[in-house]
Amino acid sequence: MKNIKKISEWGLDYSKKPFLISGPCSAETQDQVIATAKELKSLGVKIFRAGIWKPRTRPNCFEGVGSIGLKWLTMVQKETSMLTAIEVANSKHVHEAINAGVDILWIGARTTANPFAVQEIADALKGIDIPVFVKNPINPDIELWLGAIERLYTVGLRRIGVIHRGFSVYEHSVYRNAPQWQIPIDLKNRFPNIPIICDPSHIGGKRSLIKNLSQKSVDLDFDGLMIESHIDPQNAWSDAQQQITPRSLINIIDNLIIRKVKQEEIPIDILNNLRDKIDFFDNELMETLKKRIDVVKNIAIYKQNNSITILQQDRWRVIINKSIENAVKYDLSDEFVSQLFKIIHQESINKQTEIMNEEINL
Ligand code: PEP
Ligand code: MN
């Protein structure tokens, strides 16, 4: 997929970073759409999003106004000269969107997870040159995400971008959809041209998290942002907790710190020095992990000899509680420390299982 076009080659007005798409989660009424678009336009936003067909996790939620919303988007184009972007989930949506002159499409997270639906959309887009963004699938599966991009590429699309909107989690977390930054970064490593944007609204699920998530994505050199905005966020018909007013949006965008990417602009000896320190601590971490695993091996043998189960719930609770206490002490985030210890604990269980099974085989 080496011919995927960089965002600067999409023929859109992309003068300043971040590339920004904003507008309501859902088109609700003609007035809400037009009023939101006009205010965004007056603040310098160039691409207007709105969901017309809404994939809702549970029934009986607002499922979008449907095709009538397309007329309102045409009005947005005429009255503000903004570009419009909507989500499509099947071939009917694609045909209607193209006929209505929508400028940009995106594929939602639930749809990306379904290869049948993506193929149907790709087939409907054959021979049409329109930019399409692919949101990450709800589950953290890079192959599934890549598969969707490939299906679009195969029918001839070249203006394909990706959107990191976080991944579903079962356990309670501060996020609505937990970000896994490594996944979009891996994707970008494989396809360096692919435009990559962040959707902090669906990652955070609440207004208060949008600013920091946006800054984080900018620091990770993402190309742009898709942020939900609404003229009256509290009374939005969908995703009310995560939408912000156009004015708050611009406040966030204007205060983003855009750092330099190019290495030659950073004095190299300072950077090398800091990198040496990181390498040193990474080595220390590896040494410590190795020592810990050696202890785990001895524990496995002890448990084996004394017929004790591998998983000791009480002990595990003590470890996790202590690590969270330590997180505060060492000024590390709870989320990071508990995730880290979960991985370490899982590896410790794997190792013990391996050793105990070896013993059985003997
Ligand atoms: C949306 O952008 O409104 C939406 C439904 O997003 P996602 O597919 O990321 O849930
Ligand atoms: Mn939404």
Side-chain angles (χ1 to χ4, degrees):
M1 296 196 284
K2 60 181 189 324
N3 293 328
I4 288 185
K5 291 187 175 165
K6 291 184 186 153
I7 195 93
S8 54
E9 295 165 0
W10 279 25
L12 306 177
D13 178 2
Y14 172 60
S15 40
K16 132 170 173 266
K17 224 175 164 179
F19 174 83
L20 180 62
I21 302 176
S22 188
C25 176
S26 305
E28 299 164 5
T29 64
Q30 180 178 318
D31 287 350
Q32 167 251 5
V33 167
I34 304 296
T36 309
K38 282 191 172 163
E39 183 149 2
L40 287 168
K41 166 74 181 183
S42 76
L43 294 164
V45 180
K46 299 193 176 105
I47 307 177
F48 181 77
R49 64 150 278 159
I52 303 289
W53 302 285
K54 299 301 300 176
R56 307 314 298 176
T57 302
R58 307 278 301 272
N60 306 322
C61 296
F62 173 58
E63 290 184 324
V65 289
S67 313
I68 191 177
L70 292 166
K71 288 200 193 107
W72 307 337
L73 291 177
T74 308
M75 291 167 81
V76 168
Q77 289 167 323
K78 291 212 174 98
E79 293 187 25
T80 68
S81 69
M82 290 172 97
L83 299 181
T84 54
I86 64 165
E87 171 175 349
V88 288
N90 58 38
S91 55
K92 174 180 167 285
H93 296 165
V94 172
H95 295 310
E96 289 193 32
I98 300 293
N99 288 340
V102 171
D103 301 287
I104 297 172
L105 305 178
W106 82 83
I107 296 181
R110 293 160 193 77
T111 308
T112 307
N114 177 355
F116 289 129
V118 176
Q119 191 58 50
E120 180 184 320
I121 293 169
D123 291 340
L125 283 168
K126 195 174 172 113
I128 300 170
D129 178 20
I130 186 168
V132 181
F133 282 98
V134 183
K135 287 197 168 195
N136 63 255
I138 43 180
N139 48 327
D141 182 342
I142 193 169
E143 297 301 323
L144 202 51
W145 201 358
L146 272 171
I149 300 162
E150 270 162 14
R151 288 174 201 275
L152 297 174
Y153 189 83
T154 305
V155 299
L157 291 172
R158 293 297 175 264
R159 291 186 289 171
I160 307 172
V162 294
I163 303 179
H164 178 216
R165 51 76 80 194
F167 299 89
S168 290
V169 272
Y170 177 60
E171 286 176 27
H172 170 78
S173 140
V174 285
Y175 303 108
R176 177 176 175 197
N177 293 291
Q180 293 206 33
W181 303 99
Q182 196 53 49
I183 298 179
I185 291 169
D186 284 349
L187 206 140
K188 182 93 178 168
N189 274 340
R190 292 206 218 171
F191 304 103
N193 284 352
I194 202 160
I196 173 171
I197 72 179
C198 174
D199 172 349
S201 310
H202 289 90
I203 294 179
K206 36 184 147 2
R207 285 181 264 287
S208 57
L209 295 177
I210 292 177
K211 178 168 179 273
N212 285 351
L213 286 165
S214 301
Q215 182 63 52
K216 169 110 190 182
S217 72
V218 165
D219 287 339
L220 293 174
D221 199 27
F222 276 47
D223 297 285
L225 290 160
M226 179 191 258
I227 300 181
E228 289 186 340
S229 59
H230 192 288
I231 203 76
D232 181 11
Q234 276 86 355
N235 292 311
W237 297 0
S238 59
D239 290 352
Q241 279 143 22
Q242 70 192 35
Q243 303 207 56
I244 55 178
T245 61
R247 194 151 286 285
S248 322
L249 169 83
I250 293 310
N251 200 11
I252 291 174
I253 300 296
D254 285 350
N255 285 300
L256 285 176
I257 302 164
I258 311 282
R259 299 184 169 90
K260 292 177 279 229
V261 181
K262 296 234 175 328
Q263 282 206 353
E264 49 282 8
E265 294 172 45
I266 306 167
I268 211 74
D269 48 336
I270 298 180
L271 188 61
N272 281 342
N273 202 328
L274 293 171
R275 284 184 175 152
D276 284 348
K277 284 192 180 152
I278 292 281
D279 289 346
F280 172 79
F281 289 119
D282 283 350
N283 276 336
E284 295 267 293
L285 273 173
M286 296 303 280
E287 294 276 332
T288 308
L289 286 172
K290 162 86 178 76
K291 286 181 199 151
R292 193 183 192 283
I293 282 286
D294 287 343
V295 178
V296 164
K297 288 180 187 160
N298 289 333
I299 288 188
I301 293 166
Y302 180 86
K303 284 181 181 167
Q304 171 79 12
N305 292 342
N306 293 280
S307 288
I308 300 175
T309 56
I310 293 182
L311 181 64
Q312 300 279 316
Q313 284 287 4
D314 292 348
R315 168 73 183 143
W316 170 231
R317 245 190 308 277
V318 171
I319 296 187
I320 204 81
N321 287 342
K322 202 160 124 226
S323 65
I324 289 173
E325 267 171 39
N326 273 337
V328 178
K329 190 164 133 203
Y330 289 108
D331 200 17
L332 296 166
S333 84
D334 285 9
E335 177 83 9
F336 167 62
V337 171
S338 62
Q339 293 293 348
L340 180 67
F341 273 90
K342 273 185 199 162
I343 297 173
I344 292 177
H345 183 242
Q346 185 58 54
E347 179 60 13
S348 156
I349 288 178
N350 294 347
K351 204 74 212 169
Q352 292 182 51
T353 314
E354 211 178 275
I355 291 173
M356 287 172 136
N357 286 342
E358 257 171 35
E359 296 271 312
I360 291 164
N361 291 338
L362 280 176

